[in-house]
């Protein structure tokens, strides 16, 4: 049984990020693999030991501020989950919150500090379609962020082929750390890139069963074709 935890969907829910949960769940259901999704409200306790995949969506600056106070309380447990190879998918606002801080003009939003990264608000907003070259193949998504994220010595999720990425200057997108994926890509990310959903699911299963080799193949030619078509369209524009 894989247990997926969705953190604060009432606040962190931009651009259909909920679709990431639906994709993770359905790709397990379609393979007859047991899965449970648990959503957490801001004041609910999170049983990290019970979770296999944790998803944090994107949010506006205002919503991030609301979440940030709560993060202080779960910081320790979150870090322990990450260090024990728990899988995390954090999108945009959620990604920024994994770092030390997100600095706005007059405010500083404290993050979880599980990644050694920081974000500063800049102008203009970085908006548009993105294609990234990653270890899980070419990934397509959509970005819309004011924050510029600097990842220091962390490994990026990938190299920006189209779009802006972490900060619009170094051509890097996101971060991969242990089993944590932080990225600016909405879209939502996983329905648009089904291979990435399987890549994350595989990591979650291997954490429990080191012998696990590969997921059964799914009949998903249409999803694959949609992803491929979008990537080709953006690359040949
Ligand atoms: N509020 C953050 C920013 O503008 C994150 C936005 C988002 O999640 N799309 O940088």
């Amino acid at each position: 049984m894989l247990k997926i935890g969705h953190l604060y969907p009432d606040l962190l829910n931009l651009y259909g990020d909920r679709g990431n949960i639906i994709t993770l769940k359905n790709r397990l259901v379609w393979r007859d693999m047991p899965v449970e999704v648990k959503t957490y409200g801001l004041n609910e306790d999170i049983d990290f030991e019970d979770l296999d995949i944790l998803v944090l969506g994107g949010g506006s600056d205002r919503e991030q501020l609301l979440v940030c106070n709560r993060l202080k309380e779960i910081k320790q447990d979150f870090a322990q989950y990450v260090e024990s190879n728990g899988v995390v998918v954090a999108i945009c606002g959620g990604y920024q919150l994994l770092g030390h801080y997100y600095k706005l003009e007059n405010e500083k939003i404290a993050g979880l500090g599980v990644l050694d990264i920081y974000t500063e608000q800049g102008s203009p907003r970085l908006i548009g379609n993105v294609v990234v070259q990653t270890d899980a193949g070419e990934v397509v998504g959509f970005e819309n962020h004011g924050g510029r994220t600097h990842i220091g010595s962390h490994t990026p999720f990938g190299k920006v082929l189209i779009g802006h990425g972490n900060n619009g200057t170094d051509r890097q997108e996101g971060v991969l750390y242990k089993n944590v994926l932080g990225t600016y890509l909405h879209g939502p990310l996983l329905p648009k890139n089904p291979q990435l959903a399987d890549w994350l699911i595989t990591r979650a299963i291997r954490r429990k069963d080191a012998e696990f080799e590969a997921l059964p193949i799914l009949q998903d030619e249409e999803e694959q074709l949609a992803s491929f078509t979008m990537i080709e369209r953006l690359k040949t524009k």
Side-chain angles (χ1 to χ4, degrees):
M1 155 79 79
L2 277 198
K3 201 154 173 196
I4 303 171
H6 191 184
L7 249 57
Y8 318 138
D10 293 349
L11 293 164
L12 302 177
N13 58 1
L14 285 178
Y15 310 118
D17 283 339
R18 204 181 291 262
N20 294 321
I21 297 282
I22 298 170
T23 298
L24 288 169
K25 181 178 170 202
N26 282 355
R27 293 185 75 81
L28 285 158
V29 169
W30 291 331
R31 292 173 165 115
D32 289 324
M33 297 170 89
V35 53
E36 193 184 313
V37 175
K38 171 104 179 68
T39 55
Y40 294 94
L42 202 54
N43 296 313
E44 274 177 79
D45 287 333
I46 302 165
D47 188 3
F48 284 94
E49 277 183 24
D50 218 25
L51 292 179
D52 301 296
I53 303 180
L54 213 152
V55 181
L56 271 161
S60 66
D61 296 351
R62 188 188 66 82
E63 288 158 336
Q64 286 176 280
L65 259 172
L66 292 174
V67 168
C68 118
N69 288 329
R70 176 65 176 146
L71 294 185
K72 277 182 219 144
E73 293 161 27
I74 63 166
K75 205 170 164 162
Q76 216 95 48
D77 291 341
F78 202 111
Q80 203 170 338
Y81 173 77
V82 166
E83 292 308 312
S84 69
N85 294 317
V87 174
V88 177
V89 189
I91 312 291
C92 198
Y95 164 43
Q96 294 170 342
L97 289 172
L98 296 185
H100 296 298
Y101 61 81
Y102 171 30
K103 192 167 173 294
L104 305 170
E105 206 177 320
N106 302 312
E107 247 156 337
K108 201 167 176 180
I109 301 176
L112 286 159
V114 294
L115 297 180
D116 191 11
I117 66 174
Y118 66 93
T119 302
E120 291 177 343
Q121 196 178 46
S123 176
R125 293 188 73 77
L126 304 175
I127 305 172
N129 288 309
V130 187
V131 179
V132 184
Q133 179 66 56
T134 79
D135 287 350
E138 287 184 348
V139 167
V140 62
F142 170 78
E143 64 184 334
N144 182 353
H145 50 109
R148 271 67 170 161
T149 299
H150 301 275
I151 69 166
S153 57
H154 272 297
T155 305
F157 172 40
K159 179 175 178 293
V160 175
L161 301 180
I162 309 282
H164 304 285
N166 282 337
N167 47 55
T169 55
D170 62 18
R171 308 306 289 160
Q172 295 185 337
E173 209 297 313
V175 163
L176 264 185
Y177 170 69
K178 289 184 174 261
N179 281 334
V180 177
L181 166 62
T183 172
Y184 271 112
L185 302 189
H186 298 275
L189 175 69
L190 301 181
K192 274 192 168 176
N193 302 281
Q195 85 285 7
L196 188 59
D198 285 356
W199 188 74
L200 291 161
I201 292 169
T202 304
R203 281 174 173 238
I205 299 175
R206 286 206 185 124
R207 178 174 175 237
K208 295 190 350 169
D209 172 8
E211 313 278 275
F212 180 78
E213 280 179 17
L215 288 167
I217 304 282
L218 273 187
Q219 298 283 303
D220 64 356
E221 292 82 2
E222 285 179 354
E223 289 95 322
Q224 307 258 14
L225 185 61
S227 188
F228 175 78
T229 304
M230 190 61 189
I231 290 170
E232 288 309 299
R233 188 180 299 166
L234 291 170
K235 280 171 48 179
T236 52
K237 227 163 79 176

